[in-house]
Amino acid sequence: MTINEVQDEIIEEFEGLTDWMDRYAYIIDLGNTLPDFPENEKTPANLIEGCQSRVWITAHRLDDGRIHFEADSDALIVKGIVALLMRVLDDRTPDEILNADLYFVDKIGLKEHLSPTRSNGLVAMVKQIHNYAMAFKMLDNK
């Protein structure tokens, strides 16, 4: 599936949840689907700056050039938001990540229902994912 197809799928899932308490519960459930994050990777180097809660993201380039991310958070809702980002951006090429318009965030109403600090954290997570993509792209161009 393309990034936009995954985003459209997420939007469709959220359209079935009209109450924001149900949406938060679903986001929390999504966070529980993240694979276990290695404890030894929970280091300051992998910690996302700008998040109120602690969020760790690592990236590894696969043999075919795609980037595989691993992520975790110590806050339930934030962990779910991370899971959404991983669902959309994990195992993509640097160009796919850098060119992605993450419209699902607005379409599901997430931005308007996050506190300012969580909203800033979301921006910081996306920025870090972009930084990884840019770094791997630069390595590819050497």
Side-chain angles (χ1 to χ4, degrees), residues 46-121:
N46 296 327
L47 196 62
I48 304 301
E49 296 292 325
C51 292
Q52 178 181 0
S53 33
R54 297 187 321 164
V55 177
W56 300 270
I57 298 176
T58 61
H60 309 280
R61 185 167 42 183
L62 303 174
D63 291 339
D64 63 4
R66 293 176 299 129
I67 303 170
H68 176 69
F69 295 99
E70 291 181 308
D72 196 14
S73 175
D74 62 358
L76 294 174
I77 289 177
V78 176
K79 189 170 182 171
I81 294 167
V82 170
L84 284 168
L85 287 175
M86 294 299 103
R87 187 168 156 191
V88 173
L89 299 172
D90 188 29
D91 294 337
R92 304 289 181 175
T93 66
D95 282 335
E96 286 177 307
I97 293 166
L98 294 169
N99 294 324
D101 171 18
L102 299 179
Y103 59 84
F104 82 95
V105 174
D106 287 328
K107 294 274 189 182
I108 66 174
L110 191 56
K111 224 174 212 175
E112 66 195 52
H113 285 87
L114 290 179
S115 66
T117 53
R118 281 210 175 112
S119 195
N120 289 341

Side-chain angles (χ1 to χ4, degrees), residues 32-43:
N32 293 328
T33 67
L34 280 177
D36 289 337
F37 191 83
E39 285 298 316
N40 64 332
E41 295 284 355
K42 291 184 178 179
T43 64

